[in-house]
Amino acid sequence: MGLLHTVVSRMIYYPPHIETFSGSYIVEFDSSLDNHAHAIHTTPGVSVHRRFTRAFNGAVVHARSGINPEHLAGLPGIKRMWPNRRHTLKLRQSKQNYTTPFLHEMTGVARAWRELGINGTGVKLCAVDTGVDWTHPELGNCWGTDGCAWQLGKDCIGDVYGNTDPPEIVPNDTPMDCGGHGTHVSGIMAARGPSVFGVAPGATMGMYRVYSCDTPEGGASTSDDVIMDGMESAHADNCDVINMSIGAMGWSENPLAAFAAKLVEAGSLIIASAGNDGSHGIHTISSPSDGHGVLSVGSVDNWNVTQMGAVFSLPDGDRSVQISNAASNHVRFLFNKTVPLVLPDDDTGNYYGCESADSDYDGKVVVANNGGCDYTTIAQNVQDQGGVGLIIVNDQEGTFEYGVGEDITIPCISVSNTDGKAIISGLEQGDGTVMATTSTFAAIDSGFDGGRMSNFSAYGPSPELDLVPHLVAPGGNIWSTVLTSDDVYRSSSGTSLSSPYVSGCMALLRQRFTNYTNPQLHQALISAATPLVDTNGLFVNPYRTGAGLVNVYKALQSRTLIDPPYISINQTRMDGKKRTYSQIIKLTNMDANNAANVSLSHSPASSMTLYQNNTYAPLLLTDSLVPIWPPDSNSVTWDTLPQAFLPNSEQRVEAGQTIEFNVTVTAPYGLPESERWYFGGFFNFSVTFDDETQSTHFVCPYAGFNGEYTQIEMLGPKSQGYPSFSDSNGRPIDNVSELTIDPSDDLPTFNYTLDVPSIYSYIALIDRDNKTAGYLPGSDRTRLSRTRPAMNETNSIRVNNTVELDDKTIILGDGEYSLRLALLRPFGNRDDDNDYVYWNSDYFSFGK
């Protein structure tokens, strides 16, 4: 049977690569903890560490070593229990580009400021993040004083967590950032300018710090329970909008997603980043953004981008040039007055600067070509000879950061190949100088990539086929505030940055629509989005973009609400040889005085798959490109696109009334179901009010799977070499039937990959009578994510003769056994053996 133990459904397990705190668990109760306190407190070796009471009946429970977590999960009143995960935050650096306020024109933000005077005033806009450097001049340089933007928040973790064992929480008086991520997020939400303009600069701000300072292993550290403390604190402070630029691939029942869903039910409006695993294709969405009721946000790249700059005065004229961030010594390239430039004096004539001969570098910045020797050698030569800075000319386009030795104290940066050649050419003609201040920037047009999906932005659907993300916003190459002790401003990329952009937009909506419920705010913002168009001329699949690019001005001007704002086709029904899905969409006229004419139409979007010729598409593995259909406009045929039947597409809605549209979607039956296509499209609403002459257009995206999702092949393609056995050194074992395992010696490993997420799995050993001899300990795993083939990611477990059966641990005798992997199908019943996919190995032996 699929159910191994009577309490396993309460205990949620993670695969081995997920790091957890030993003996620490997040526990959800079916009612108040007070009702079950006696059972907890009278269990030897178990203690309650932290309680959650506002929306989530739960606690953090610590258990001493040796206590079986399944027995703990079996205590009366326990609903679910998760191991307490450790989280490490590492920033994704961008190409060093800075976004000017031009992006606010593309999203309607600037127009909302300019024409409507809406900037978030009176709205409590909060973030659960690494903290904020509130001393930053563009973030107010204040905390908690009259007139200060920062009025809410707390430090939930302190600086030393992650550097002590066990972790120690020593909160500071304010949530001061020591990593920069939260400060960057804060600038996107509400910076006041003049160099960075946030979306909602008039909002009242809150920050709930849940990450410590960097650990020796790298990255800031935290845990599930600390993040949950920050979320609950923001909810308790009645934040109107809570941003969570936090997450990892996972399910809606992971602890952070489940906790977020409870807070949403209790009235919180939570917006979360979709995740940065998009280079691995479909089913890479992050939790908690897939939590029920949470607004999930993907990323597009910027249109007009700039970065830190310097002004070079050369014989042929002045030149504004983009420069990189400082090298690894973190000395900023700042010269408030002009400084002389010089080329290296060496015998090669290549301007490498590798020779240590005496040169006249005193008080000058040296411009050297890339490639002659290591950067520390060049920098040391410049520094030893009195130089005050080093500029490396890249041997290709773009700037880059590089490492230098710890003894280097001068600023070291790079410039692009084009700019560097021009600088060298000018210096060959005569003298030149450079000046760089904190307000020196250089702007460029990002060209083709502007407004297109960022490669890193995660794909939906959720493991349950829910449509996520819900919309997208600028997140690729975003310039914003960072620590004043660091670069003050920096450019980074990630859905961590598109999420606060939408949080700022939601603050603008909340300021205007004070009487809207949170679901109505979702409807207004999602339906006003602008779908993205792919290179083939069709809309991009909603599992990639949701409804499209956020357009807050249209949302603020909208007088209609569409319910549902998006449609998740979790399962189709067969209508002859075609798969169909029917839905009622409601449109409400929020104008109390004017009626409107409404016209409904349909636009198909591209379909997506991971497959080509029954294996992973080569471009997915080599270039992180997901195949789409149609690949070009010449390949379009009617049967390969989703179709829609709209029987009542023309209607009139009276003032303050609601109308209903019946829609039926037909999946693209011309695409073979064996190729596992994910399809989608948009329902388009054209609304013309009686007091207007022009129509306004709104969308309702939909998406689904082209086939019987409950019968989908769950394992990765056999061409990838899995499932497989490997020895203790990781070498493949080709002939399992000749394998003899000595339990006292090095043990082999069983490895498998997943093509779709699995809600539950287990591994059993089967004897020659085809009976279950026992289950491998730790093999019963819940809510596994899809494995990422480009990373050669696998689920793995050691194969031993120590097994579990009927809640007992037993040791199998010598003999022959087969390994059976069982995966519960999507939407399956874990108590029904017929709802599992089974894989059986050849028989192998235990013995000497």
Side-chain angles (χ1 to χ4, degrees), residues 39-112:
I40 295 289
H41 292 306
T42 57
T43 301
V46 177
S47 61
V48 175
H49 176 66
R50 189 199 301 272
R51 299 177 61 167
F52 302 105
T53 59
R54 293 188 175 272
F56 180 90
N57 292 317
V60 180
V61 174
H62 287 180
R64 62 170 168 76
S65 176
I67 292 181
N68 189 334
E70 293 179 0
H71 294 162
L72 180 59
L75 292 175
I78 290 183
K79 182 179 178 181
R80 289 180 292 188
M81 193 168 90
W82 302 267
N84 193 7
R85 293 176 297 175
R86 180 190 294 273
H87 298 262
T88 302
L89 179 68
K90 295 183 179 180
L91 295 180
R92 170 185 289 270
Q93 294 298 324
S94 75
K95 303 173 185 176
Q96 278 309 108
N97 289 333
Y98 153 90
T99 301
T100 72
F102 179 73
L103 85 167
H104 294 327
E105 298 288 349
M106 306 303 289
T107 57
V109 170
R111 197 173 178 189

Side-chain angles (χ1 to χ4, degrees), residues 777-797:
S779 72
D780 46 337
R781 298 172 181 173
T782 51
R783 295 169 181 84
L784 292 171
S785 296
R786 177 186 149 248
T787 48
R788 294 167 287 190
M791 296 176 62
N792 201 28
E793 190 175 61
T794 63
N795 293 295
S796 302
I797 191 168

Side-chain angles (χ1 to χ4, degrees), residues 750-799:
F750 173 66
N751 315 289
Y752 63 98
T753 61
L754 288 176
D755 207 31
V756 293
S758 174
I759 194 169
Y760 177 63
S761 67
Y762 67 86
I763 297 174
L765 295 183
I766 309 299
D767 63 22
R768 274 293 186 180
D769 294 326
N770 201 32
K771 295 181 179 179
T772 300
Y775 303 94
L776 291 183
S779 72
D780 46 337
R781 298 172 181 173
T782 51
R783 295 169 181 84
L784 292 171
S785 296
R786 177 186 149 248
T787 48
R788 294 167 287 190
M791 296 176 62
N792 201 28
E793 190 175 61
T794 63
N795 293 295
S796 302
I797 191 168
R798 295 285 187 186
V799 182

Side-chain angles (χ1 to χ4, degrees), residues 97-106 301-307 322 442-447 449-451 474 476-479:
N97 289 333
Y98 153 90
T99 301
T100 72
F102 179 73
L103 85 167
H104 294 327
E105 298 288 349
M106 306 303 289
D301 285 343
N302 285 336
W303 298 264
N304 188 24
V305 293
T306 315
Q307 67 185 51
Q322 294 179 331
I444 62 171
D445 189 325
S446 64
D449 290 335
N477 304 325
I478 302 297
W479 172 271

Side-chain angles (χ1 to χ4, degrees), residues 324-383:
S324 72
N325 275 346
S328 59
N329 61 351
H330 299 297
V331 179
R332 299 180 63 201
F333 192 85
L334 289 176
F335 298 99
N336 292 320
K337 297 181 179 179
T338 57
V339 178
L341 293 167
V342 65
L343 295 172
D345 181 14
D346 55 41
D347 295 334
T348 66
N350 292 318
Y351 304 130
Y352 285 142
C354 299
E355 300 175 6
S356 58
D358 291 339
S359 299
D360 183 18
Y361 293 164
D362 191 35
K364 299 177 182 178
V365 172
V366 176
V367 181
N369 272 320
N370 192 22
C373 55
D374 66 88
Y375 304 118
T376 298
T377 297
I378 304 172
Q380 192 69 60
N381 289 339
V382 173
Q383 183 172 294

Side-chain angles (χ1 to χ4, degrees), residues 89 127 129-133 139 150 177 179-187 207:
L89 179 68
D129 215 292
T130 66
V132 59
D133 184 353
L139 295 176
W150 296 97
D177 193 0
H181 185 276
T183 302
H184 204 277
V185 163
S186 298
M207 175 59 71

